[in-house]
Structures are given as structure tokens and as C-alpha cells.
Amino acid sequence: MLVIPRSLLKTVRLLLRPTSIADPKRAFEIRSDWEVTRMLSNALFPPDRRKIEEWFFQHESEWIAGTAYRFAIEQAGQMIGIADVDGITEYDGKLGYWLDWASWGNGYAFEAAQELVRFVFTDVGLPTLKAGHAADNPASGRVLTKLGFTQIESTKLFSRPRGETIVQCRYMLASRDYFASSHGGPR
Ligand SMILES: CC(C)(COP(=O)(O)OP(=O)(O)OC[C@H]1O[C@@H](n2cnc3c(N)ncnc32)[C@H](O)[C@@H]1OP(=O)(O)O)[C@@H](O)C(=O)NCCC(=O)NCCS
């Protein structure tokens, strides 16, 4: 099995670095904001510091096993969020991202996710990416459609932080469509 090097990715304004066990403190701060965590269907609110630490501790072994690639997004030397692809099988994986509320509205999620999509299709060679967002999270839907994702269905899903069933919009992007479009063009 080919192990992808745990290397940095760079964009014009951002650094995407493989997460480290020093990241939970900042992640806890970001996830302590209801506006962020209510959009993450499987997250606890308020967040649990120990569980966040345990989650970060798994990242290096997940990376080596090829089941998840998780990056801390840094802007001007500060961690502003996470972008990751997890649940990876030989067929697909699931794209996710969450950013500090203070950094929203600057195009950072799109910029980070665009580089991550390039990484998983070009460097990892994944055939398909899936993604989903709560129906009341149009900003995430906009990020996905700008990346070239297509909405495939809406489905009901239990939101752990909200404690209720919500509607989730699900999306897909195949690498063949990515490479056939301008999204997969030269950097
Ligand atoms: C979703 C999230 C990652 C977006 O981060 P961001 O850095 O603000 O996103 P970007 O600036 O790259 O792009 C947001 C796009 O949505 C648009 N947008 C923002 N609010 C919107 C709204 N209410 N309705 C429609 N579009 C909206 C923006 O105009 C922008 O599109 P544009 O580039 O065409 O102008 C951020 O809001 C976040 O972390 N939310 C909490 C966690 C989360 O939702 N994660 C995703 C789970 S599916």
C-alpha cells in the first residue's frame, strides 16, 4: 500500500498542514461556538475536550492507513479550522470543513477545500468524493457547487448537536468530471 507523505499543502493565502496533537486546544475553541458546531451532524455541543484530544490522536494512524486525510487550515500563522476527507474506501471519501466564525466570508473554506480536492484526486487518486450539508447551511452548499460538486439527494439525518432530525443535502464529485472540467486544470 502506498502511504502518502504527510506534507504541507499551500494556497495563495492558506497553509494546510497535517493536523498535530498540539491542535486540540484551538479546535476546542472553534468548536465551542454554536454557530460552527450546529452545522456538524455528528459533533457534541458543548464540545468535550477529552474526546477532541482523542480524535486528534487518531489522525496520524488514519493517514498512514489511508482512511482519512485531515489538515489544519492556517492563515497568517493562526489555525482557523479543519478541512478533511474521511471514511475513505477504494471507491470514495467524504469531504468536510469547519472554520472559526471570525474567519467566515473571506473565501477561505473554498480556497482550502479546492486544494484538498486537488490533493485527493491527484495525489491520492480517489475516484469519487461525497459531501453533505444541513439544508439551512447554504454557505456550505455554495462552497461545494463552486468546487464542481452536484447535489444528488436530500435526506433526513439526526443532528447530534441539535438533538433533532434535520434535512441534509448530499453531493458528489467524480474525479473524471473534475479532470474534465476547469476545476481539474493546472494550478
Ligand atoms: C460553511 C463554512 C465552512 C464556509 O466558510 P467560508 O470561509 O465563509 O466560505 P467561503 O467564504 O469560501 O464561501 C462561502 C460562500 O457562501 C456564500 N454564502 C454565505 N452565506 C450565504 C447564505 N446565507 N446564502 C447563500 N450563500 C451564502 C458566500 O457568499 C460564498 O460564496 P461566493 O464565494 O460565491 O461569494 C463556514 O461557514 C463554517 O465553518 N460553518 C460551520 C461549519 C460548517 O458548516 N461546516 C460545513 C459542514 S457541511
Side-chain angles (χ1 to χ4, degrees), residues 4-186:
I4 308 287
R6 276 170 69 77
S7 312
L8 301 173
L9 305 177
K10 284 184 186 161
T11 71
V12 173
R13 297 178 296 170
L14 306 172
L15 191 68
L16 274 65
R17 58 161 175 78
T19 53
S20 102
I21 54 169
D23 292 334
K25 185 169 179 284
R26 177 70 180 128
F28 181 83
E29 268 173 29
I30 298 171
R31 291 271 286 265
S32 295
D33 186 336
W34 173 241
E35 291 307 315
V36 174
T37 300
R38 74 191 185 95
M39 296 303 186
L40 307 176
S41 57
N42 207 26
L44 283 175
F45 191 86
D48 181 311
R49 198 179 290 269
R50 175 72 63 85
K51 287 206 160 46
I52 288 186
E53 282 168 6
E54 286 167 4
W55 186 66
F56 275 92
F57 266 106
Q58 295 165 13
H59 293 183
E60 188 168 356
S61 54
E62 288 174 333
W63 183 298
I64 290 164
T67 55
Y69 300 103
R70 305 193 196 268
F71 292 87
I73 306 168
E74 285 193 4
Q75 200 273 325
Q78 193 199 23
M79 176 176 160
I80 59 165
I82 294 284
D84 57 12
V85 174
D86 64 10
I88 295 176
T89 67
E90 63 182 299
Y91 308 108
D92 58 28
K94 185 168 168 294
L95 174 69
Y97 36 75
W98 41 275
L99 272 66
D100 181 13
W101 180 84
S103 68
W104 292 8
N106 295 302
Y108 293 145
F110 172 73
E111 190 169 321
Q114 186 182 41
E115 176 58 13
L116 183 54
V117 168
R118 185 207 61 76
F119 168 78
V120 290
F121 284 153
T122 304
D123 301 356
V124 179
L126 205 63
T128 307
L129 271 172
K130 300 186 291 190
H133 67 80
D136 61 357
N137 190 3
S140 183
R142 177 77 185 132
V143 170
L144 293 173
T145 49
K146 280 173 69 183
L147 290 167
F149 279 76
T150 305
Q151 188 173 347
I152 47 166
E153 61 178 356
S154 293
T155 185
K156 287 189 176 166
L157 176 87
F158 185 75
S159 164
R160 202 170 172 191
R162 300 189 207 193
E164 62 184 13
T165 300
I166 61 163
V167 174
Q168 194 196 43
C169 307
R170 293 197 173 155
Y171 292 73
M172 255 173 97
L173 176 60
S175 63
R176 64 171 181 276
D177 296 333
Y178 170 82
F179 288 118
S181 74
S182 55
H183 298 98

